[in-house]
């Protein structure tokens, strides 16, 4: 069990491009993935990318079910090494996101409506899926980490960026608030 500290927004590594993993089953990668699981479960995040624990390698985890995020039900728990995204429907849908590296804050982020994604598991098996809605949002958020982007860099309207408790209070007072989802 190894819970690693999470780098927070401002750390240069979070704005760097991560390296393609050469040997998918090297001891370093196996250890990295174990640490990512331990860390994301401990912090009750819905997903995590390797750079968030200080390792600039193209590895992501998502679809983690925790008591804090119950709406990940339709997103399969997935480890992806060297993931790639192809946009199938470039319509942008706004949704509320958060991030372990941006603690306490949430913001409305436009994401593509439908994507195809692929990558590899630890055994070198290729994973290929199509995703839309919340599932597509989670994958785009985590893959962004590998290219040095945090969700605020994808935002266009900073009036919809703020602290979690304040946004929740606002949501309750806005009857016509759009449907919102959260990503960690
Ligand atoms: Ni994140």
């Amino acid at each position: 069990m190894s819970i690693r500290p999470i780098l927070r927004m401002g750390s240069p590594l979070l704005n760097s491009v991560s390296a393609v993993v050469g040997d998918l089953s090297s001891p370093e990668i196996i250890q990295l993935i174990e640490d990512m699981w331990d860390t994301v479960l401990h912090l009750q995040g819905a997903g995590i990318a390797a750079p968030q624990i200080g390792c600039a390698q193209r590895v992501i985890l998502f679809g983690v079910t925790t008591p804090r995020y119950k709406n990940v039900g339709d997103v399969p728990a997935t480890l992806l090494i060297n993931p790639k995204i192809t946009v199938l429907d470039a319509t942008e849908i706004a949704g509320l996101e958060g991030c372990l590296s941006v603690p306490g804050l949430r913001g409305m982020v436009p994401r593509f409506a439908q994507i195809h994604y692929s990558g590899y598991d630890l055994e070198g098996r290729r994973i290929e899926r199509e995703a839309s809605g919340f599932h597509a949002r989670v994958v785009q958020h985590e893959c962004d980490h590998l290219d040095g982007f945090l969700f605020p860099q994808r935002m266009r309207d900073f009036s919809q960026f703020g602290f979690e408790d304040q946004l929740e209070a606002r949501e309750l007072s806005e009857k016509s608030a759009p449907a919102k989802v959260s990503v960690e």
Side-chain angles (χ1 to χ4, degrees):
M1 183 101 173
S2 181
I3 295 161
R4 303 259 295 262
I6 291 276
L7 299 184
R8 287 174 300 139
M9 185 168 61
S11 168
L13 198 134
L14 290 175
N15 295 121
S16 69
V17 178
S18 292
V20 172
V21 177
D23 181 357
L24 270 53
S25 55
S26 71
E28 292 78 19
I29 292 298
I30 292 169
Q31 185 63 55
L32 167 68
I33 289 162
E34 277 180 21
D35 290 355
M36 286 170 70
W37 274 115
D38 291 344
T39 305
V40 76
L41 289 172
H42 175 72
L43 295 173
Q44 298 196 11
I48 192 169
Q52 292 182 278
I53 60 168
C55 184
Q57 300 277 323
R58 301 187 83 83
V59 181
I60 58 173
L61 272 177
F62 57 86
V64 182
T65 303
T66 74
R68 201 164 148 230
Y69 287 94
K70 297 195 174 77
N71 62 347
V72 297
D74 60 340
V75 184
T78 304
L79 158 74
L80 271 190
I81 304 172
N82 297 336
K84 283 205 170 64
I85 289 179
T86 307
V87 178
L88 298 179
D89 179 351
T91 307
E92 291 182 340
I93 299 172
L96 204 58
E97 297 189 15
C99 181
L100 292 174
S101 295
V102 191
L105 290 160
R106 293 276 185 275
M108 284 295 256
V109 184
R111 297 287 187 190
F112 298 122
Q114 194 182 11
I115 60 168
H116 172 274
Y117 67 88
S118 62
Y120 297 88
D121 68 12
L122 262 178
E123 282 76 42
R125 287 182 295 238
R126 189 170 169 81
I127 295 163
E128 293 206 48
R129 291 191 192 125
E130 285 185 16
S132 57
F134 182 67
H135 187 176
R137 175 174 300 279
V138 171
V139 177
Q140 289 172 81
H141 176 114
E142 298 306 339
C143 284
D144 255 2
H145 277 296
L146 307 180
D147 292 321
F149 288 90
L150 298 177
F151 79 81
Q153 293 165 262
R154 297 296 192 196
M155 290 186 63
R156 299 204 191 99
D157 178 1
F158 285 93
S159 72
Q160 295 186 300
F161 184 47
F163 292 95
E164 192 174 3
D165 56 342
Q166 303 291 300
L167 285 176
E168 276 169 9
R170 185 209 288 196
E171 199 173 337
L172 289 172
S173 68
E174 287 176 6
K175 283 177 189 161
S176 60
K180 287 170 184 173
V181 289
S182 292
V183 180
E184 189 78 6

